[in-house]
Amino acid sequence: GAVVSQHPSWVICKSGTSVKIECRSLDFQATTMFWYRQFPKQSLMLMATSNEGSKATYEQGVEKDKFLINHASLTLSTLTVTSAHPEDSSFYICSARSGEQFFGPGTRLTVL
Amino acid sequence: GIQVEQSPPDLILQEGANSTLRCNFSDSVNNLQWFHQNPWGQLINLFYIPSGTKQNGRLSATTVATERYSLLYISSSQTTDSGVYFCAVDPGNMLTFGGGTRLMVKP
């Protein structure tokens, strides 16, 4: 199957700082990528749809100014959590479609 | 939006036992996928099955789109099957996940 990578796999930051997470499709091109968030023992919730060359589409309740998404190429989307706070601590997962959807390994964010 | 319900929410099996996980969805879908989330959080694709039946080793899946449900069968379970199994449906252009079934297989 297709491969999606994420970097970093985990990050710890201080409250008020910004964190950037990268999502790459390694062996295919993706005009659309998806960002999910997962809290402990819960399911995945879609945050936003990242569109190459255009603005991302955010789900209801997700602050677009806090979660900045850039999809500058057909293989790379980035999610920047701006002015992070402890409540932003979560597991962030990206995906891309090549027929079916394939998921990256996730990024565990801890905000102190 | 579309609702996706999985049952049971939790399941404990003895190694070697068989099990059936169910996924009900509230509207027509273009696609349906089953995933296994391992202890490190990685989602592993099991089946891409908008309709019909597929088999892969000890796992098989059946989707009856007209009745809006899908079943995942695990036979001769092993301890490595432990984890969370998610069903996700795509009514248009994005996946909506069910709540998952947390499976523990005991040796």
Side-chain angles (χ1 to χ4, degrees), chain A residues 13 21 28 36 70 73 75 81 84 91 96 112:
Chain A
C13 69
I21 303 169
F28 65 102
Y36 294 81
N70 183 275
S73 78
T75 59
V81 183
F91 190 56
L112 302 177

mmCIF file of all heavy atoms in Angstrom, chain A residues 13 21 28 36 70 73 75 81 84 91 96 112:
data_model
loop_
_atom_site.group_PDB
_atom_site.id
_atom_site.type_symbol
_atom_site.label_atom_id
_atom_site.label_comp_id
_atom_site.label_asym_id
_atom_site.label_seq_id
_atom_site.Cartn_x
_atom_site.Cartn_y
_atom_site.Cartn_z
ATOM 1 N N CYS A 13 6.507 20.725 24.130
ATOM 2 C CA CYS A 13 6.803 22.154 24.019
ATOM 3 C C CYS A 13 6.207 22.906 25.200
ATOM 4 O O CYS A 13 5.361 22.378 25.928
ATOM 5 C CB CYS A 13 6.254 22.714 22.704
ATOM 6 S SG CYS A 13 4.465 22.773 22.620
ATOM 7 N N ILE A 21 4.018 20.347 12.349
ATOM 8 C CA ILE A 21 4.012 18.908 12.061
ATOM 9 C C ILE A 21 3.947 18.741 10.547
ATOM 10 O O ILE A 21 3.119 19.366 9.884
ATOM 11 C CB ILE A 21 2.808 18.211 12.718
ATOM 12 C CG1 ILE A 21 2.807 18.447 14.230
ATOM 13 C CG2 ILE A 21 2.821 16.717 12.423
ATOM 14 C CD1 ILE A 21 1.528 18.012 14.919
ATOM 15 N N PHE A 28 3.350 8.570 -3.705
ATOM 16 C CA PHE A 28 2.246 8.993 -4.549
ATOM 17 C C PHE A 28 1.999 10.476 -4.318
ATOM 18 O O PHE A 28 2.462 11.050 -3.335
ATOM 19 C CB PHE A 28 0.979 8.177 -4.262
ATOM 20 C CG PHE A 28 0.400 8.381 -2.880
ATOM 21 C CD1 PHE A 28 -0.713 9.189 -2.698
ATOM 22 C CD2 PHE A 28 0.969 7.757 -1.780
ATOM 23 C CE1 PHE A 28 -1.249 9.382 -1.428
ATOM 24 C CE2 PHE A 28 0.448 7.942 -0.514
ATOM 25 C CZ PHE A 28 -0.669 8.753 -0.331
ATOM 26 N N TYR A 36 -6.303 14.734 11.413
ATOM 27 C CA TYR A 36 -7.182 14.242 12.461
ATOM 28 C C TYR A 36 -6.524 14.474 13.818
ATOM 29 O O TYR A 36 -5.311 14.586 13.932
ATOM 30 C CB TYR A 36 -7.431 12.734 12.305
ATOM 31 C CG TYR A 36 -8.205 12.327 11.079
ATOM 32 C CD1 TYR A 36 -7.587 12.215 9.841
ATOM 33 C CD2 TYR A 36 -9.565 12.043 11.158
ATOM 34 C CE1 TYR A 36 -8.291 11.829 8.712
ATOM 35 C CE2 TYR A 36 -10.280 11.645 10.035
ATOM 36 C CZ TYR A 36 -9.636 11.548 8.819
ATOM 37 O OH TYR A 36 -10.335 11.162 7.707
ATOM 38 N N ASN A 70 -0.872 24.268 5.686
ATOM 39 C CA ASN A 70 -0.295 24.659 4.410
ATOM 40 C C ASN A 70 -0.034 23.409 3.584
ATOM 41 O O ASN A 70 0.552 22.453 4.068
ATOM 42 C CB ASN A 70 1.009 25.430 4.642
ATOM 43 C CG ASN A 70 1.604 25.930 3.340
ATOM 44 O OD1 ASN A 70 2.329 25.217 2.656
ATOM 45 N ND2 ASN A 70 1.271 27.158 2.996
ATOM 46 N N SER A 73 2.794 21.550 -1.746
ATOM 47 C CA SER A 73 3.160 20.676 -2.864
ATOM 48 C C SER A 73 2.275 19.448 -2.849
ATOM 49 O O SER A 73 1.492 19.238 -1.920
ATOM 50 C CB SER A 73 4.627 20.268 -2.767
ATOM 51 O OG SER A 73 4.795 19.237 -1.797
ATOM 52 N N THR A 75 3.046 16.509 -2.303
ATOM 53 C CA THR A 75 3.488 15.465 -1.385
ATOM 54 C C THR A 75 3.675 15.947 0.040
ATOM 55 O O THR A 75 4.108 15.171 0.899
ATOM 56 C CB THR A 75 4.817 14.843 -1.874
ATOM 57 O OG1 THR A 75 5.807 15.884 -1.947
ATOM 58 C CG2 THR A 75 4.660 14.192 -3.237
ATOM 59 N N VAL A 81 0.499 24.239 15.035
ATOM 60 C CA VAL A 81 -0.308 24.571 16.202
ATOM 61 C C VAL A 81 0.294 25.837 16.798
ATOM 62 O O VAL A 81 1.430 25.829 17.310
ATOM 63 C CB VAL A 81 -0.295 23.428 17.237
ATOM 64 C CG1 VAL A 81 -1.208 23.767 18.417
ATOM 65 C CG2 VAL A 81 -0.721 22.112 16.591
ATOM 66 N N ALA A 84 0.485 27.205 21.470
ATOM 67 C CA ALA A 84 -0.051 25.954 22.022
ATOM 68 C C ALA A 84 -0.326 26.066 23.520
ATOM 69 O O ALA A 84 0.411 26.740 24.257
ATOM 70 C CB ALA A 84 0.928 24.817 21.741
ATOM 71 N N PHE A 91 -2.921 13.478 20.077
ATOM 72 C CA PHE A 91 -2.269 12.679 19.036
ATOM 73 C C PHE A 91 -2.812 13.163 17.702
ATOM 74 O O PHE A 91 -4.023 13.111 17.469
ATOM 75 C CB PHE A 91 -2.584 11.194 19.274
ATOM 76 C CG PHE A 91 -1.784 10.239 18.433
ATOM 77 C CD1 PHE A 91 -0.411 10.264 18.448
ATOM 78 C CD2 PHE A 91 -2.423 9.279 17.660
ATOM 79 C CE1 PHE A 91 0.333 9.373 17.696
ATOM 80 C CE2 PHE A 91 -1.696 8.371 16.898
ATOM 81 C CZ PHE A 91 -0.310 8.417 16.924
ATOM 82 N N ALA A 96 -3.735 10.550 3.555
ATOM 83 C CA ALA A 96 -3.842 10.930 2.149
ATOM 84 C C ALA A 96 -4.488 9.769 1.413
ATOM 85 O O ALA A 96 -4.416 8.622 1.848
ATOM 86 C CB ALA A 96 -2.469 11.243 1.567
ATOM 87 N N LEU A 112 3.416 21.672 27.830
ATOM 88 C CA LEU A 112 3.607 21.806 29.280
ATOM 89 C C LEU A 112 3.137 23.172 29.781
ATOM 90 O O LEU A 112 3.120 24.149 29.026
ATOM 91 C CB LEU A 112 5.081 21.609 29.631
ATOM 92 C CG LEU A 112 5.673 20.261 29.197
ATOM 93 C CD1 LEU A 112 7.156 20.223 29.525
ATOM 94 C CD2 LEU A 112 4.935 19.121 29.883
#
